[in-house]
Short mmCIF file of all heavy atoms in Angstrom, two decimals:
data_model
loop_
_atom_site.label_atom_id
_atom_site.label_comp_id
_atom_site.label_asym_id
_atom_site.label_seq_id
_atom_site.Cartn_x
_atom_site.Cartn_y
_atom_site.Cartn_z
N MET A 1 2.07 -8.70 -15.77
CA MET A 1 2.43 -9.69 -14.78
C MET A 1 3.36 -8.96 -13.74
O MET A 1 4.22 -8.16 -14.00
CB MET A 1 3.32 -10.77 -15.40
CG MET A 1 3.72 -11.92 -14.53
SD MET A 1 4.50 -13.21 -15.36
CE MET A 1 3.25 -13.99 -16.30
N ARG A 2 3.01 -9.33 -12.49
CA ARG A 2 3.66 -8.74 -11.32
C ARG A 2 4.88 -9.54 -10.92
O ARG A 2 4.90 -10.74 -11.16
CB ARG A 2 2.67 -8.51 -10.17
CG ARG A 2 1.64 -7.49 -10.34
CD ARG A 2 0.70 -7.43 -9.20
NE ARG A 2 1.31 -6.93 -8.05
CZ ARG A 2 1.42 -5.65 -7.67
NH1 ARG A 2 1.08 -4.73 -8.52
NH2 ARG A 2 2.06 -5.24 -6.59
N VAL A 3 5.80 -8.87 -10.34
CA VAL A 3 6.97 -9.52 -9.69
C VAL A 3 7.20 -9.15 -8.33
O VAL A 3 6.83 -7.94 -7.91
CB VAL A 3 8.35 -9.24 -10.54
CG1 VAL A 3 8.59 -7.73 -10.53
CG2 VAL A 3 9.47 -10.06 -9.95
N SER A 4 7.45 -10.09 -7.43
CA SER A 4 7.73 -9.73 -6.05
C SER A 4 8.86 -10.69 -5.49
O SER A 4 9.17 -11.71 -6.17
CB SER A 4 6.43 -9.91 -5.22
OG SER A 4 6.04 -11.32 -5.29
N VAL A 5 9.31 -10.34 -4.35
CA VAL A 5 10.35 -11.26 -3.65
C VAL A 5 9.64 -11.72 -2.37
O VAL A 5 9.04 -10.93 -1.60
CB VAL A 5 11.59 -10.41 -3.32
CG1 VAL A 5 12.56 -11.35 -2.48
CG2 VAL A 5 12.21 -10.04 -4.64
N ASP A 6 9.70 -12.97 -2.12
CA ASP A 6 9.14 -13.60 -0.97
C ASP A 6 10.30 -13.46 0.17
O ASP A 6 11.25 -14.16 0.05
CB ASP A 6 8.80 -15.06 -1.17
CG ASP A 6 8.18 -15.66 0.05
OD1 ASP A 6 8.28 -15.11 1.14
OD2 ASP A 6 7.57 -16.81 -0.11
N PRO A 7 10.04 -12.56 1.10
CA PRO A 7 11.13 -12.39 2.17
C PRO A 7 11.30 -13.59 3.06
O PRO A 7 12.32 -13.73 3.75
CB PRO A 7 10.62 -11.15 2.91
CG PRO A 7 9.01 -11.20 2.72
CD PRO A 7 8.88 -11.81 1.33
N GLU A 8 10.38 -14.51 3.02
CA GLU A 8 10.51 -15.71 3.88
C GLU A 8 11.43 -16.70 3.25
O GLU A 8 11.95 -17.54 3.92
CB GLU A 8 9.19 -16.39 4.05
CG GLU A 8 8.07 -15.51 4.70
CD GLU A 8 8.41 -15.23 6.14
OE1 GLU A 8 8.93 -16.11 6.79
OE2 GLU A 8 8.04 -14.06 6.58
N VAL A 9 11.62 -16.44 1.94
CA VAL A 9 12.54 -17.55 1.15
C VAL A 9 13.89 -16.79 0.78
O VAL A 9 14.85 -17.56 0.76
CB VAL A 9 11.83 -17.97 -0.06
CG1 VAL A 9 12.66 -18.91 -0.94
CG2 VAL A 9 10.53 -18.57 0.31
N CYS A 10 13.87 -15.59 0.45
CA CYS A 10 15.11 -14.94 0.04
C CYS A 10 16.17 -14.93 1.26
O CYS A 10 15.80 -14.88 2.35
CB CYS A 10 14.86 -13.42 -0.27
SG CYS A 10 16.35 -12.44 -0.42
N TYR A 11 17.43 -15.24 0.88
CA TYR A 11 18.41 -15.26 1.94
C TYR A 11 19.47 -14.17 1.65
O TYR A 11 20.52 -14.08 2.32
CB TYR A 11 19.14 -16.64 2.05
CG TYR A 11 19.99 -17.02 0.84
CD1 TYR A 11 21.31 -16.67 0.84
CD2 TYR A 11 19.48 -17.75 -0.16
CE1 TYR A 11 22.08 -17.12 -0.27
CE2 TYR A 11 20.24 -18.14 -1.26
CZ TYR A 11 21.60 -17.77 -1.37
OH TYR A 11 22.38 -18.11 -2.33
N GLY A 12 19.16 -13.20 0.77
CA GLY A 12 19.97 -12.00 0.64
C GLY A 12 21.24 -12.18 -0.10
O GLY A 12 22.24 -11.47 0.21
N SER A 13 21.19 -13.03 -1.18
CA SER A 13 22.45 -13.17 -1.92
C SER A 13 22.89 -11.93 -2.68
O SER A 13 24.07 -11.61 -3.00
CB SER A 13 22.33 -14.31 -3.01
OG SER A 13 21.46 -13.85 -4.04
N GLY A 14 21.88 -11.04 -2.97
CA GLY A 14 22.13 -9.75 -3.59
C GLY A 14 22.26 -9.87 -5.09
O GLY A 14 22.45 -8.84 -5.85
N GLU A 15 22.15 -11.07 -5.60
CA GLU A 15 22.35 -11.19 -7.08
C GLU A 15 21.16 -10.36 -7.87
O GLU A 15 21.68 -9.85 -9.01
CB GLU A 15 22.17 -12.66 -7.46
CG GLU A 15 23.45 -13.45 -7.15
CD GLU A 15 23.40 -14.86 -7.46
OE1 GLU A 15 23.13 -15.20 -8.66
OE2 GLU A 15 23.49 -15.72 -6.56
N CYS A 16 19.98 -10.34 -7.44
CA CYS A 16 18.99 -9.67 -8.26
C CYS A 16 19.23 -8.16 -8.29
O CYS A 16 19.18 -7.59 -9.40
CB CYS A 16 17.55 -9.88 -7.66
SG CYS A 16 17.37 -9.56 -5.88
N ALA A 17 19.66 -7.51 -7.23
CA ALA A 17 20.04 -6.08 -7.25
C ALA A 17 21.22 -5.85 -8.07
O ALA A 17 21.41 -4.79 -8.67
CB ALA A 17 20.21 -5.57 -5.88
N LEU A 18 22.12 -6.77 -8.13
CA LEU A 18 23.39 -6.60 -8.92
C LEU A 18 23.13 -6.69 -10.40
O LEU A 18 23.58 -5.99 -11.16
CB LEU A 18 24.31 -7.63 -8.43
CG LEU A 18 25.76 -7.46 -8.85
CD1 LEU A 18 26.42 -6.28 -8.24
CD2 LEU A 18 26.59 -8.67 -8.50
N ARG A 19 22.31 -7.79 -10.75
CA ARG A 19 22.07 -8.09 -12.20
C ARG A 19 21.01 -7.34 -12.78
O ARG A 19 21.07 -6.94 -13.98
CB ARG A 19 21.72 -9.57 -12.31
CG ARG A 19 22.88 -10.56 -12.06
CD ARG A 19 22.35 -11.97 -12.16
NE ARG A 19 23.38 -12.94 -11.86
CZ ARG A 19 24.21 -13.41 -12.72
NH1 ARG A 19 24.14 -13.04 -14.01
NH2 ARG A 19 25.11 -14.35 -12.34
N VAL A 20 20.00 -6.89 -12.07
CA VAL A 20 18.88 -6.15 -12.72
C VAL A 20 18.52 -5.03 -11.75
O VAL A 20 17.46 -4.94 -11.06
CB VAL A 20 17.62 -7.07 -12.91
CG1 VAL A 20 16.63 -6.37 -13.83
CG2 VAL A 20 18.02 -8.44 -13.51
N PRO A 21 19.45 -4.01 -11.59
CA PRO A 21 19.21 -2.92 -10.60
C PRO A 21 18.10 -1.97 -11.06
O PRO A 21 17.71 -1.13 -10.22
CB PRO A 21 20.61 -2.15 -10.74
CG PRO A 21 21.17 -2.58 -12.04
CD PRO A 21 20.72 -3.95 -12.34
N SER A 22 17.59 -2.15 -12.27
CA SER A 22 16.43 -1.29 -12.70
C SER A 22 15.11 -1.77 -12.10
O SER A 22 14.17 -1.00 -12.02
CB SER A 22 16.27 -1.23 -14.20
OG SER A 22 16.10 -2.53 -14.71
N VAL A 23 15.12 -3.01 -11.55
CA VAL A 23 13.90 -3.58 -10.95
C VAL A 23 14.12 -3.97 -9.47
O VAL A 23 13.24 -3.70 -8.67
CB VAL A 23 13.48 -4.75 -11.77
CG1 VAL A 23 12.26 -5.46 -11.08
CG2 VAL A 23 13.10 -4.38 -13.17
N PHE A 24 15.27 -4.43 -9.18
CA PHE A 24 15.45 -5.03 -7.82
C PHE A 24 16.49 -4.18 -6.96
O PHE A 24 17.31 -3.53 -7.56
CB PHE A 24 16.09 -6.41 -7.96
CG PHE A 24 15.17 -7.40 -8.54
CD1 PHE A 24 15.38 -7.84 -9.88
CD2 PHE A 24 14.15 -8.05 -7.95
CE1 PHE A 24 14.61 -8.73 -10.50
CE2 PHE A 24 13.30 -8.91 -8.57
CZ PHE A 24 13.50 -9.26 -9.84
N THR A 25 16.30 -4.26 -5.70
CA THR A 25 17.22 -3.52 -4.76
C THR A 25 17.34 -4.45 -3.59
O THR A 25 16.79 -5.53 -3.49
CB THR A 25 16.65 -2.11 -4.36
OG1 THR A 25 17.53 -1.44 -3.70
CG2 THR A 25 15.23 -2.29 -3.59
N ALA A 26 17.96 -3.93 -2.61
CA ALA A 26 18.20 -4.66 -1.35
C ALA A 26 17.61 -3.76 -0.21
O ALA A 26 17.91 -2.55 -0.12
CB ALA A 26 19.61 -5.00 -1.08
N VAL A 27 16.78 -4.42 0.59
CA VAL A 27 16.26 -3.75 1.82
C VAL A 27 16.54 -4.59 3.04
O VAL A 27 16.07 -5.75 3.07
CB VAL A 27 14.78 -3.46 1.63
CG1 VAL A 27 14.13 -2.80 2.80
CG2 VAL A 27 14.46 -2.54 0.41
N ASP A 28 17.19 -4.01 3.94
CA ASP A 28 17.49 -4.75 5.22
C ASP A 28 18.16 -6.10 4.95
O ASP A 28 17.85 -7.13 5.62
CB ASP A 28 16.22 -4.94 6.03
CG ASP A 28 15.55 -3.64 6.55
OD1 ASP A 28 16.33 -2.68 6.69
OD2 ASP A 28 14.45 -3.56 6.73
N GLY A 29 19.03 -6.11 3.87
CA GLY A 29 19.69 -7.27 3.55
C GLY A 29 19.02 -8.37 2.74
O GLY A 29 19.57 -9.41 2.45
N LEU A 30 17.77 -8.01 2.37
CA LEU A 30 17.03 -8.96 1.51
C LEU A 30 16.79 -8.33 0.15
O LEU A 30 16.70 -7.05 0.05
CB LEU A 30 15.77 -9.35 2.17
CG LEU A 30 15.92 -10.14 3.53
CD1 LEU A 30 14.49 -10.41 4.09
CD2 LEU A 30 16.68 -11.39 3.32
N GLY A 31 16.48 -9.13 -0.83
CA GLY A 31 16.10 -8.60 -2.14
C GLY A 31 14.75 -8.02 -2.05
O GLY A 31 13.86 -8.54 -1.25
N ALA A 32 14.41 -7.08 -2.90
CA ALA A 32 13.07 -6.48 -2.98
C ALA A 32 12.94 -5.76 -4.28
O ALA A 32 13.90 -5.52 -5.07
CB ALA A 32 13.02 -5.36 -1.82
N VAL A 33 11.69 -5.51 -4.61
CA VAL A 33 11.35 -4.96 -5.90
C VAL A 33 11.25 -3.41 -5.70
O VAL A 33 10.67 -2.93 -4.70
CB VAL A 33 10.10 -5.41 -6.51
CG1 VAL A 33 9.57 -4.64 -7.76
CG2 VAL A 33 10.19 -6.90 -6.79
N LEU A 34 11.87 -2.63 -6.56
CA LEU A 34 11.84 -1.21 -6.35
C LEU A 34 10.37 -0.68 -6.50
O LEU A 34 9.61 -1.18 -7.31
CB LEU A 34 12.61 -0.56 -7.52
CG LEU A 34 14.18 -0.55 -7.36
CD1 LEU A 34 14.77 -0.19 -8.66
CD2 LEU A 34 14.61 0.34 -6.28
N PRO A 35 10.01 0.35 -5.72
CA PRO A 35 8.65 0.90 -5.77
C PRO A 35 8.39 1.36 -7.20
O PRO A 35 9.21 2.02 -7.86
CB PRO A 35 8.70 2.07 -4.77
CG PRO A 35 9.86 1.78 -3.84
CD PRO A 35 10.86 0.93 -4.67
N GLY A 36 7.16 1.02 -7.60
CA GLY A 36 6.83 1.39 -9.01
C GLY A 36 7.33 0.46 -10.11
O GLY A 36 6.88 0.60 -11.29
N ARG A 37 8.07 -0.59 -9.77
CA ARG A 37 8.58 -1.50 -10.69
C ARG A 37 7.88 -2.96 -10.63
O ARG A 37 8.32 -3.95 -11.15
CB ARG A 37 10.09 -1.71 -10.50
CG ARG A 37 10.73 -0.30 -10.74
CD ARG A 37 10.60 0.21 -12.21
NE ARG A 37 11.58 -0.50 -13.11
CZ ARG A 37 11.38 -0.67 -14.44
NH1 ARG A 37 10.35 -0.12 -15.01
NH2 ARG A 37 12.25 -1.25 -15.18
N GLU A 38 6.82 -2.94 -9.91
CA GLU A 38 6.13 -4.28 -9.63
C GLU A 38 5.44 -4.92 -10.88
O GLU A 38 5.26 -6.10 -10.87
CB GLU A 38 5.07 -4.09 -8.53
CG GLU A 38 5.60 -3.63 -7.16
CD GLU A 38 5.63 -2.11 -7.03
OE1 GLU A 38 5.46 -1.42 -8.09
OE2 GLU A 38 5.92 -1.64 -5.90
N GLU A 39 5.28 -4.12 -11.89
CA GLU A 39 4.56 -4.69 -13.05
C GLU A 39 5.45 -5.02 -14.18
O GLU A 39 5.10 -5.07 -15.32
CB GLU A 39 3.54 -3.61 -13.57
CG GLU A 39 2.42 -3.29 -12.65
CD GLU A 39 1.45 -4.40 -12.32
OE1 GLU A 39 1.48 -5.39 -13.20
OE2 GLU A 39 0.77 -4.37 -11.26
N THR A 40 6.76 -5.46 -13.85
CA THR A 40 7.75 -5.73 -14.82
C THR A 40 7.94 -7.17 -15.00
O THR A 40 9.00 -7.59 -15.60
CB THR A 40 9.01 -5.04 -14.53
OG1 THR A 40 9.45 -5.56 -13.18
CG2 THR A 40 8.97 -3.54 -14.45
N GLY A 41 6.96 -7.98 -14.61
CA GLY A 41 7.11 -9.46 -14.69
C GLY A 41 7.32 -10.04 -16.07
O GLY A 41 7.75 -11.12 -16.26
N GLU A 42 6.88 -9.18 -17.09
CA GLU A 42 7.08 -9.74 -18.47
C GLU A 42 8.53 -9.38 -19.05
O GLU A 42 8.88 -10.00 -20.06
CB GLU A 42 6.10 -9.04 -19.43
CG GLU A 42 4.63 -9.22 -19.09
CD GLU A 42 4.15 -10.69 -19.31
OE1 GLU A 42 4.89 -11.39 -20.04
OE2 GLU A 42 2.97 -10.93 -18.91
N ASP A 43 9.19 -8.60 -18.36
CA ASP A 43 10.61 -8.25 -18.82
C ASP A 43 11.50 -9.45 -18.85
O ASP A 43 11.63 -10.24 -17.82
CB ASP A 43 11.17 -7.20 -17.87
CG ASP A 43 12.53 -6.71 -18.25
OD1 ASP A 43 13.29 -7.48 -18.85
OD2 ASP A 43 12.68 -5.45 -18.03
N PRO A 44 12.05 -9.75 -20.02
CA PRO A 44 12.90 -11.01 -20.02
C PRO A 44 14.01 -10.98 -18.99
O PRO A 44 14.32 -12.12 -18.52
CB PRO A 44 13.59 -10.85 -21.51
CG PRO A 44 12.57 -10.02 -22.23
CD PRO A 44 12.01 -9.06 -21.33
N GLN A 45 14.57 -9.84 -18.68
CA GLN A 45 15.59 -9.80 -17.56
C GLN A 45 15.09 -10.25 -16.26
O GLN A 45 15.63 -10.87 -15.48
CB GLN A 45 16.20 -8.42 -17.45
CG GLN A 45 17.22 -8.03 -18.55
CD GLN A 45 17.93 -6.71 -18.10
OE1 GLN A 45 17.28 -5.74 -17.99
NE2 GLN A 45 19.18 -6.77 -17.97
N VAL A 46 13.88 -9.87 -16.02
CA VAL A 46 13.12 -10.22 -14.68
C VAL A 46 12.87 -11.66 -14.73
O VAL A 46 13.05 -12.31 -13.72
CB VAL A 46 11.92 -9.34 -14.52
CG1 VAL A 46 11.07 -9.91 -13.32
CG2 VAL A 46 12.31 -7.91 -14.36
N ARG A 47 12.38 -12.12 -15.86
CA ARG A 47 12.00 -13.58 -15.91
C ARG A 47 13.31 -14.42 -15.75
O ARG A 47 13.22 -15.49 -15.04
CB ARG A 47 11.31 -13.96 -17.28
CG ARG A 47 9.98 -13.17 -17.43
CD ARG A 47 9.33 -13.36 -18.70
NE ARG A 47 8.74 -14.71 -18.76
CZ ARG A 47 7.52 -15.02 -18.31
NH1 ARG A 47 6.66 -13.99 -18.01
NH2 ARG A 47 6.98 -16.18 -18.53
N ASP A 48 14.41 -14.00 -16.44
CA ASP A 48 15.62 -14.72 -16.28
C ASP A 48 16.15 -14.66 -14.83
O ASP A 48 16.57 -15.71 -14.29
CB ASP A 48 16.73 -14.08 -17.26
CG ASP A 48 17.95 -14.76 -17.25
OD1 ASP A 48 17.96 -16.04 -17.61
OD2 ASP A 48 18.98 -14.24 -16.96
N MET A 49 15.97 -13.47 -14.20
CA MET A 49 16.48 -13.42 -12.77
C MET A 49 15.63 -14.37 -11.89
O MET A 49 16.21 -14.90 -10.97
CB MET A 49 16.40 -11.96 -12.34
CG MET A 49 17.14 -11.72 -11.06
SD MET A 49 18.90 -12.06 -11.19
CE MET A 49 19.01 -13.37 -9.81
N ALA A 50 14.32 -14.47 -12.17
CA ALA A 50 13.48 -15.36 -11.33
C ALA A 50 13.96 -16.77 -11.44
O ALA A 50 13.98 -17.58 -10.45
CB ALA A 50 12.03 -15.30 -11.82
N GLU A 51 14.49 -17.12 -12.67
CA GLU A 51 15.02 -18.46 -12.82
C GLU A 51 16.33 -18.63 -12.13
O GLU A 51 16.74 -19.69 -11.57
CB GLU A 51 15.20 -18.85 -14.30
CG GLU A 51 13.79 -19.11 -15.00
CD GLU A 51 14.01 -19.42 -16.43
OE1 GLU A 51 15.12 -19.90 -16.81
OE2 GLU A 51 13.06 -19.40 -17.15
N ARG A 52 17.16 -17.57 -12.11
CA ARG A 52 18.52 -17.64 -11.58
C ARG A 52 18.61 -17.48 -10.08
O ARG A 52 19.56 -17.84 -9.47
CB ARG A 52 19.35 -16.48 -12.15
CG ARG A 52 19.75 -16.67 -13.62
CD ARG A 52 20.35 -15.33 -14.12
NE ARG A 52 20.89 -15.40 -15.45
CZ ARG A 52 22.24 -15.64 -15.73
NH1 ARG A 52 23.06 -15.74 -14.82
NH2 ARG A 52 22.58 -15.74 -16.97
N CYS A 53 17.55 -16.88 -9.49
CA CYS A 53 17.62 -16.71 -8.03
C CYS A 53 17.89 -17.91 -7.29
O CYS A 53 17.17 -18.97 -7.46
CB CYS A 53 16.19 -16.10 -7.55
SG CYS A 53 16.03 -16.10 -5.77
N PRO A 54 18.93 -18.02 -6.56
CA PRO A 54 19.43 -19.22 -5.88
C PRO A 54 18.46 -19.76 -4.83
O PRO A 54 18.56 -20.98 -4.54
CB PRO A 54 20.70 -18.85 -5.28
CG PRO A 54 20.76 -17.38 -5.05
CD PRO A 54 19.82 -16.86 -6.27
N SER A 55 17.51 -19.08 -4.36
CA SER A 55 16.50 -19.52 -3.42
C SER A 55 15.11 -19.58 -4.07
O SER A 55 14.10 -19.93 -3.32
CB SER A 55 16.50 -18.69 -2.18
OG SER A 55 16.07 -17.35 -2.38
N GLN A 56 15.01 -19.22 -5.33
CA GLN A 56 13.68 -19.25 -5.96
C GLN A 56 12.70 -18.35 -5.18
O GLN A 56 11.55 -18.73 -5.14
CB GLN A 56 13.14 -20.76 -6.06
CG GLN A 56 14.03 -21.57 -6.96
CD GLN A 56 13.99 -21.22 -8.44
OE1 GLN A 56 12.90 -21.37 -9.04
NE2 GLN A 56 15.08 -20.70 -8.93
N ALA A 57 13.12 -17.25 -4.75
CA ALA A 57 12.34 -16.34 -3.95
C ALA A 57 11.61 -15.32 -4.83
O ALA A 57 10.70 -14.62 -4.31
CB ALA A 57 13.20 -15.63 -2.94
N ILE A 58 12.01 -15.17 -6.11
CA ILE A 58 11.39 -14.20 -6.97
C ILE A 58 10.07 -14.78 -7.60
O ILE A 58 10.13 -15.83 -8.33
CB ILE A 58 12.35 -13.77 -8.09
CG1 ILE A 58 13.50 -13.07 -7.45
CG2 ILE A 58 11.71 -12.73 -9.06
CD1 ILE A 58 14.66 -12.76 -8.38
N ARG A 59 8.99 -14.17 -7.28
CA ARG A 59 7.68 -14.66 -7.73
C ARG A 59 7.16 -13.76 -8.98
O ARG A 59 7.19 -12.62 -8.88
CB ARG A 59 6.67 -14.58 -6.60
CG ARG A 59 7.15 -15.16 -5.31
CD ARG A 59 7.01 -16.68 -5.34
NE ARG A 59 7.32 -17.27 -4.05
CZ ARG A 59 8.10 -18.21 -3.88
NH1 ARG A 59 8.80 -18.75 -4.84
NH2 ARG A 59 8.32 -18.69 -2.62
N LEU A 60 6.68 -14.61 -9.92
CA LEU A 60 5.96 -13.94 -11.01
C LEU A 60 4.50 -14.31 -10.94
O LEU A 60 4.19 -15.56 -10.83
CB LEU A 60 6.66 -14.34 -12.41
CG LEU A 60 8.07 -14.03 -12.57
CD1 LEU A 60 8.54 -14.64 -13.80
CD2 LEU A 60 8.25 -12.49 -12.59
N HIS A 61 3.65 -13.31 -10.92
CA HIS A 61 2.18 -13.71 -10.75
C HIS A 61 1.28 -12.64 -11.36
O HIS A 61 1.78 -11.53 -11.81
CB HIS A 61 1.90 -13.91 -9.27
CG HIS A 61 2.45 -12.87 -8.36
ND1 HIS A 61 1.68 -11.93 -7.77
CD2 HIS A 61 3.77 -12.62 -7.87
CE1 HIS A 61 2.46 -11.12 -7.06
NE2 HIS A 61 3.67 -11.49 -7.17
S1 LIG B 101 18.67 -13.16 -6.02
FE1 LIG B 101 17.05 -14.25 -4.84
S2 LIG B 101 18.01 -14.84 -2.80
FE2 LIG B 101 19.33 -13.33 -3.88
S3 LIG B 101 18.64 -11.34 -3.01
FE3 LIG B 101 17.54 -11.68 -4.86
S4 LIG B 101 15.65 -12.67 -4.20
FE4 LIG B 101 17.02 -12.92 -2.57
#
């Protein structure tokens, strides 16, 4: 399962990069998935972060 951040929805709270730095980072003030980490959507930490994201910008697909 893939994970991505919708830049149209993310408002850059930075929580994903803080809580799960092995998968998320910040680019130009917005959350983003680290290169090569797009297939981590099954990871419980990633799924949990998708639920916690305050703008629901983290997509699992
Ligand atoms: S937690 Fe959500 S709103 Fe905050 S930076 Fe990450 S994707 Fe954006």
Side-chain angles (χ1 to χ4, degrees):
M1 184 177 285
R2 290 178 66 85
V3 58
S4 63
V5 173
D6 184 342
E8 301 294 324
V9 179
C10 170
Y11 69 90
S13 73
E15 284 179 57
C16 54
L18 193 66
R19 290 178 183 272
V20 194
S22 60
V23 174
F24 299 99
T25 187
V27 176
D28 295 333
L30 297 177
V33 177
L34 285 165
R37 301 295 281 156
E38 298 89 351
E39 298 291 341
T40 57
E42 301 287 352
D43 184 325
Q45 279 190 302
V46 172
R47 299 178 76 90
D48 184 58
M49 193 60 239
E51 288 183 16
R52 287 171 177 260
C53 169
S55 64
Q56 298 290 293
I58 297 173
R59 308 282 186 232
L60 299 174
H61 46 103

